[in-house]
Amino acid sequence: MNQAYVNPFINATIKLFEEIFHTTPVFGKPYLLKANETHNWDVSAMIGLAGETQGAVILAFSEENAAKIATAMIGSPKTALDEDVTDVIGELINIVAGNAKKDLEQMRILISLPTIITGSNHRIVKTDKAAVLVGIPFTSDKGDFQLLISMQGLLTDEDNF
Amino acid sequence: MEKATKVPTERKLKNMVQRDFEEQRKVIVLTGMIGLGSLTLFLFAFLSFRAGDITRAIADIVLGVTTLAILFAIHRGFSVIKAGTIVSTLFMLFILFLSTQGFKEGGYYNFWWTVSFSTVSIFFLGYKRGGLFTLSFFVLLGVILFAPGVGELFGKHRPDSLFVSRLIGVNILIAGLVAIFDLARDRIQKELHQTNLQLSKTTSELQSRKKQSDAIFQNVRDGLFLISSEYKISAEHSASLENIFNLENISEKDFFSLFNESLTYKEMGSFKDFIEMFFVDDPNIELLETINPVEQVKMNLMTKDGTLVVKHLAFSFSPILSETEPMVLVSVRDRTDEVNLENRIKLEEDKRKKEMESLFQILHLDSIMLREFIEQTEAELEAVNDILKSKEENFGVVVNSIFQSIHAIKGDAGLLGLSNFASKLHEIEDVLVKLRELKTSQWKDLLGTTFSLVEIKRELTEISELIKKIETFKGTLTTSKAPKEDVYIRSLDRLCHRISNQFGKEVILNTAKFDISKIEGDLKKPIKDILVQFTRNALVHGVEAPEERIKVKKLKVGEIKLSSKKQAKS
C-alpha cells in the first residue's frame, strides 16, 4: 500500500466537504478492519482501482449520517434512506472520483465508475487474500462517514513505511 | 478549346500543348492583322468608290467583311489553322488581283503588296505550310509577270525588268528571312518543350523523394536534428523531437537551453566543452563517443501547464564535416519507459531476494513455534487496532501504545531469527518515534503506519500459508506430542545461543529444574519476557569470555541455571 495512492481520495473528499458544505471534516484515527466485522453502514459508495495498484476506495455512511448530509445538500429535511439520499451519495462519490482522477492518472491508476450499495448494517467481506481494509473515520457537523481503502500493488521507491 | 475525353497519346499531347502556345500567339497576330487589314481594306474601298473604280471597291469590301467574319469565327472556336489557310488563300488572290491592276494602270505600287504575303502566310501557318503557300504564290506571280501573253490580258503596262528583278529580290529576301525566323522559333519552342518535360519529370521525382523523406522524418521515433556552430537547433528536424521535449517551436532554439533544468552548473560547463570538440577540424569520433556525458541522462522537462516531468533520454552525436558549415547531427531517444522498467525489475528482484531470505529464516523454525509467534503477533496487532478504534484522543498515549506493541512483536521476531520481519517493524518504530517528537502531529500522520500494519498482517498471512505448505511438503505434522512447554524453553535456548555467539561467549542453559507447567496461561508471556531479560543480563554481565574463565580456572563453558520452586499456596 502506498499513501500516495490514497492521498488523492482523501484530499478530494476533504475538498468536497469544504466547497459544498463549507466545513472541514476531521480526520480520525485510521485503523484496520477485518473484512467480516459488522458496522453500522447502511449505504456505501465504492470506486474500484486498477493499474499500478488494485483495490477499492469506499465511502461508507450510516443511514442517519447519509440523511444528514443529504439534508445539507438538498435543503429539505431527510431522515431515512430514500432515492434522494442515495442520489446525493452518488453525486458526492462522483465528485470525489472526478477530483481524484487527475492525480491518479499521473500514477497510472484507473478508476471505475462508482457503485452505490445499500443495505442496513452491511459488511464488506473480501477484497483480497489477506482481506484487510484500512478505515479512516471522518467527523463533521454535516454528518460522519468512513473512508475505507483496500489496495495491493507494486511498491515504488517512495514507500511510506 | 474542348479536348477529346479519351486519353491522348504522348505525341498528340505534345502537339496539343504546342498548338496551344502557338494558337494563342496566332490568334493575337490574326486579330491584329485582320483588324488592321480590314480597316485598310474599307479605306481603300472608300477611296476606290471616290475614284469611280467600283469593281475594286467591291473586292475590297468583300475581302474586308470576309476576314472580319473569319476573325469572329476564330474567337468562337474555329480552328486557327483552317482560318489561317482561308485567309492566306483570300489574301493571295487579292494580292494577285492587285498585281494585275498594276498591268492595267501602270501603278507599280500595286506590286508592293506582294512582299507582305510571305510574312502573313508564314506567320499564320508556320514555315512548312506557309512556305508552301508562299512558293505557290511566287509561282503564280511569276506566271503573271513572265508568261507570254498573260500580262497583256490584264493591260498594256508591263513593268520593266529592273523593277521586276528588284521585286523578286525583295520578295525572296523577306520570305527567306521570315521562313528562317519561323524555323528558329519552332526549334526553340521544341527545345523549350523538351526542357519543360524534363523539368516536370525531375520535379515529380524530387517530390516523391521528398514525400519519402518527409514520411521518415514525420514518423521516426527518435528526435533527429542538426546543431550549427552557434549551437542552434536546425529548422529541419524530426517531428518527434517536439514531443520529446514538450516544446512547440524548437527551431533555432539554443541547444543547451534544453538542459537548463537538468544539469548542474558544472555539468553544463563540461557538456559545452564536449560539444565544442565536435566542431574542430578533425574530431576524434571514437574518443568522443566514449566520453559522451549525456549518453543517458535524466532530464527534467517543463510541460505546457508548468509541471515538471522526468524523462530518461539518450543522446548521440555525429559530426558532419563540411568546409563551409560544420554541423553536428544529434539523435535523441526517449528511454524513459525502458529505464523505469529496469528500475522496477530491480526492485522486484530485491523484493524476491528478501522474500527468499525470509523463507530460509522460516524454514529453520519449528512450525509450532511459528504458530505461537503468529498468535502472539495477532494479539498485539489487535491491541494496536483497539487503541486506534478507541476514543482516546491523546496523541502521545496512542502512539506509545502502538510503539509498545510493535516493540514486543519485534522482540519475538528477533528471538525466532526472523530478521527481515524484525527490521520492517523497526522502521515502523522509527516513524512512530519521529511522530511522537513532533508537536504538530495529527491523526493523518498515522495513515502511513496503518498501511504498514496492513503489510505486516499480509506477511503474517503469508507466513502461515508458508507453514501449511512446508508441513505438507515435509509430510509430517508435528503433533502436539511435543509438549508446548518445550517451545518456551527452546526459544530461551535459542536466545542463549545467539547472544553467546554475539558476544563470543560459550554458555548453555540448564532448565532441568524449571517447571513451566505450573505457570498459568496469562502469565506465561510476561514471565517469559522477564526471563528473557534475566537470561540476557546474566549472559552479558555475569558470564565472562572463555579465555577469562580459563584464566580463573573455571570451565570454558559457562552455565545458567533456571529453576522454579513451588512456594506455599497463597
Side-chain angles (χ1 to χ4, degrees):
Chain A
M1 269 218 206
N2 193 330
Q3 199 173 339
Y5 299 151
V6 182
N7 281 335
F9 292 103
I10 297 173
N11 296 336
T13 311
I14 294 179
K15 193 167 154 211
L16 178 147
F17 266 77
E18 285 174 351
E19 284 180 2
I20 298 186
F21 300 116
H22 307 292
T23 174
T24 309
V26 177
F27 196 108
K29 298 198 286 293
Y31 58 93
L32 303 177
L33 289 97
K34 273 203 276 289
N36 51 7
E37 280 179 42
T38 314
H39 300 267
N40 61 345
W41 305 327
D42 299 307
V43 56
S44 316
M46 176 164 81
I47 303 172
L49 305 169
E52 255 185 35
T53 187
Q54 296 116 37
V57 167
I58 301 151
L59 280 175
F61 307 81
S62 66
E63 179 173 22
E64 195 191 312
N65 281 308
K68 212 166 148 192
I69 290 175
T71 310
M73 184 93 157
I74 303 174
S76 55
K78 293 276 166 191
T79 45
L81 210 59
D82 60 13
E83 239 181 73
D84 287 335
V85 175
T86 44
D87 280 347
V88 166
I89 302 294
E91 243 193 78
L92 292 178
I93 193 73
N94 271 325
I95 297 172
V96 168
N99 284 341
K101 195 170 173 191
K102 226 181 347 145
D103 296 329
L104 292 169
E105 270 164 359
Q106 289 175 352
M107 294 189 260
R108 297 191 235 223
I109 296 178
L110 302 165
I111 59 174
S112 71
L113 292 174
T115 314
I116 313 290
I117 302 148
T118 59
S120 66
N121 294 328
H122 65 263
R123 302 178 276 164
I124 293 173
V125 174
K126 201 166 178 79
T127 51
D128 69 355
K129 246 192 318 193
V132 180
L133 282 165
V134 170
I136 307 171
F138 279 91
T139 48
S140 85
D141 50 358
K142 292 287 191 288
D144 303 337
F145 59 95
Q146 304 212 19
L147 180 66
L148 307 161
I149 302 142
S150 164
M151 275 185 204
Q152 64 178 53
L154 294 172
L155 298 165
T156 67
D157 43 346
E158 287 131 12
D159 263 346
N160 283 338
F161 258 111
Chain B
M1 280 289 195
E2 274 166 350
K3 307 242 174 21
T5 43
K6 52 184 172 138
V7 180
T9 59
E10 172 89 358
R11 195 201 164 93
K12 255 196 191 169
L13 249 177
K14 213 162 67 171
N15 289 341
M16 279 162 80
V17 170
Q18 263 192 316
R19 248 192 259 159
D20 256 319
F21 285 140
E22 288 184 38
E23 287 205 351
Q24 279 177 26
R25 189 178 54 87
K26 282 175 187 168
V27 165
I28 293 170
V29 173
L30 256 177
T31 312
M33 290 199 78
I34 293 179
L36 271 174
S38 32
L39 267 175
T40 324
L41 282 168
F42 291 141
L43 180 65
F44 285 165
F46 175 66
L47 289 173
S48 300
F49 257 126
R50 278 265 303 266
D53 193 345
I54 307 294
T55 16
R56 188 61 188 282
I58 291 177
D60 285 341
I61 290 178
V62 164
L63 191 59
V65 169
T66 321
T67 48
L68 272 178
I70 290 172
L71 181 65
F72 188 65
I74 286 170
H75 280 277
R76 287 298 224 113
F78 190 61
S79 155
V80 174
I81 293 283
K82 288 190 201 148
T85 316
I86 296 172
V87 168
S88 300
T89 319
L90 288 174
F91 197 51
M92 174 159 66
L93 291 171
F94 181 66
I95 290 177
L96 288 170
F97 170 67
L98 282 181
S99 311
T100 59
Q101 298 301 305
F103 276 101
K104 195 161 35 159
E105 297 150 18
Y108 291 163
Y109 53 84
N110 286 307
F111 282 99
W112 289 120
W113 276 102
T114 56
V115 191
S116 63
F117 182 71
S118 55
T119 31
V120 168
S121 62
I122 292 179
F123 270 147
F124 278 147
L125 302 169
Y127 65 92
K128 286 196 191 122
R129 265 212 191 150
L132 256 167
F133 259 91
T134 310
L135 225 55
S136 13
F137 170 71
F138 280 172
V139 164
L140 287 170
L141 187 65
V143 163
I144 292 176
L145 283 173
F146 297 118
V150 174
E152 278 72 35
L153 268 177
F154 300 112
K156 291 197 194 70
H157 301 270
R158 197 195 179 77
D160 60 55
S161 44
L162 196 62
F163 175 76
V164 169
S165 57
R166 279 207 176 92
L167 187 68
I168 293 172
V170 168
N171 259 301
I172 290 176
L173 177 69
I174 291 184
L177 282 174
V178 173
I180 290 168
F181 181 78
D182 197 66
L183 187 80
R185 180 204 52 80
D186 192 66
R187 282 280 139 84
I188 290 171
Q189 208 152 51
K190 282 203 169 78
E191 265 182 43
L192 192 69
H193 183 64
Q194 280 290 39
T195 314
N196 277 347
L197 279 180
Q198 273 286 43
L199 203 66
S200 58
K201 205 164 150 211
T202 315
T203 310
S204 64
E205 257 181 46
L206 277 174
Q207 271 176 349
S208 78
R209 280 294 194 87
K210 178 142 200 307
K211 265 203 198 130
Q212 285 179 6
S213 67
D214 276 350
I216 293 175
F217 245 26
Q218 288 303 314
N219 294 303
V220 67
R221 198 178 134 226
D222 295 352
L224 291 169
F225 59 97
L226 298 165
I227 47 177
S228 63
S229 47
E230 272 122 53
Y231 313 119
K232 297 254 185 291
I233 297 174
S234 57
E236 274 293 306
H237 53 258
S238 64
S240 56
L241 187 66
E242 276 155 15
N243 288 338
I244 291 176
F245 286 101
N246 290 325
L247 286 170
E248 264 164 12
N249 214 337
I250 211 169
S251 311
E252 302 304 320
K253 264 205 155 68
D254 177 46
F255 173 60
F256 296 113
S257 70
L258 299 171
F259 295 86
N260 276 340
E261 280 95 30
S262 312
L263 297 176
T264 65
Y265 185 69
K266 228 167 140 192
E267 284 168 346
M268 184 69 100
S270 45
F271 182 43
K272 283 189 178 165
D273 290 339
F274 169 73
I275 297 290
E276 263 176 32
M277 291 206 270
F278 281 95
F279 286 96
V280 303
D281 279 331
D282 192 12
N284 185 340
I285 301 174
E286 289 97 23
L287 176 66
L288 288 172
E289 266 172 25
T290 58
I291 59 169
N292 182 354
V294 291
E295 198 175 3
Q296 177 136 322
V297 58
K298 181 173 168 189
M299 302 277 285
N300 300 318
L301 302 168
M302 296 284 274
T303 61
K304 295 184 189 98
D305 45 359
T307 52
L308 216 60
V309 68
V310 173
K311 286 192 186 183
H312 298 269
L313 303 178
F315 288 86
S316 69
F317 303 93
S318 316
I320 294 177
L321 306 159
S322 150
E323 282 157 9
T324 48
E325 222 190 306
M327 291 190 285
V328 175
L329 173 68
V330 187
S331 165
V332 190
R333 170 161 289 196
D334 188 347
R335 292 197 77 236
T336 310
D337 288 342
E338 286 140 303
V339 169
N340 285 343
L341 192 63
E342 282 163 15
N343 289 342
R344 274 239 182 99
I345 290 174
K346 183 158 181 305
L347 269 168
E348 287 284 314
E349 276 175 10
D350 289 342
K351 194 174 154 195
R352 295 282 157 260
K353 235 174 59 174
K354 281 233 171 85
E355 283 175 7
M356 289 302 274
E357 280 171 13
S358 302
L359 177 60
F360 283 131
Q361 287 162 1
I362 290 170
L363 276 175
H364 283 130
L365 301 171
D366 185 89
S367 57
I368 289 192
M369 268 207 286
L370 269 174
R371 285 219 198 101
E372 212 185 75
F373 167 71
I374 289 173
E375 267 172 36
Q376 283 171 353
T377 307
E378 281 178 354
E380 291 294 344
L381 288 177
E382 273 300 304
V384 170
N385 219 24
D386 284 340
I387 194 99
L388 286 172
K389 285 204 272 196
S390 75
K391 303 245 190 274
E392 178 61 62
E393 289 295 324
N394 185 317
F395 193 83
V397 168
V398 170
V399 171
N400 276 333
S401 163
I402 299 175
F403 185 90
Q404 281 165 11
S405 293
I406 300 288
H407 194 73
I409 304 173
K410 189 178 88 169
D412 287 344
L415 267 181
L416 288 180
L418 299 168
S419 40
N420 281 350
F421 196 61
S423 61
K424 281 195 194 139
L425 291 163
H426 189 77
E427 284 170 20
I428 302 177
E429 280 182 345
D430 283 342
V431 170
L432 288 170
V433 165
K434 272 203 204 97
L435 284 179
R436 197 165 50 186
E437 284 167 14
L438 276 172
K439 296 269 155 73
T440 54
S441 301
Q442 0 159 334
W443 298 132
K444 192 171 174 197
D445 302 320
L446 278 179
L447 196 56
T449 309
T450 320
F451 285 164
S452 315
L453 294 176
V454 173
E455 289 306 311
I456 302 292
K457 261 204 169 180
R458 285 221 181 95
E459 277 212 41
L460 275 183
T461 317
E462 274 174 29
I463 292 174
S464 52
E465 301 217 328
L466 214 55
I467 295 172
K468 282 199 204 115
K469 283 197 189 131
I470 293 171
E471 282 174 352
T472 48
F473 179 70
K474 274 191 189 159
T476 50
L477 267 173
T478 26
T479 60
S480 42
K481 240 201 294 176
K484 243 183 163 193
E485 292 82 333
D486 249 5
V487 173
Y488 209 87
I489 293 174
R490 270 200 274 175
S491 68
L492 284 174
D493 242 342
R494 290 180 76 78
L495 171 71
C496 222
H497 266 117
R498 287 194 324 118
I499 299 185
S500 43
N501 282 336
Q502 200 177 348
F503 286 92
K505 302 185 179 169
E506 293 186 36
V507 177
I508 56 166
L509 192 66
N510 185 334
T511 51
K513 293 227 176 101
F514 186 52
D515 189 359
I516 273 201
S517 56
K518 303 297 179 193
I519 305 177
E520 286 171 21
D522 270 353
L523 293 171
K524 267 208 183 131
K525 180 101 192 354
I527 288 183
K528 178 179 166 189
D529 288 339
I530 297 169
L531 286 176
V532 166
Q533 278 305 110
F534 282 166
T535 313
R536 190 184 264 125
N537 283 339
L539 231 157
V540 175
H541 301 292
V543 180
E544 310 90 328
E547 308 87 46
E548 293 251 359
R549 291 178 67 87
I550 291 175
K551 269 194 199 154
V552 288
K553 301 251 169 82
K554 285 189 184 171
L555 286 170
K556 196 163 87 165
V557 179
E559 191 189 36
I560 296 178
K561 255 197 206 154
L562 200 62
S563 51
S564 57
K565 210 160 73 172
K566 189 168 165 191
Q567 287 205 292
K569 287 191 200 152
S570 40

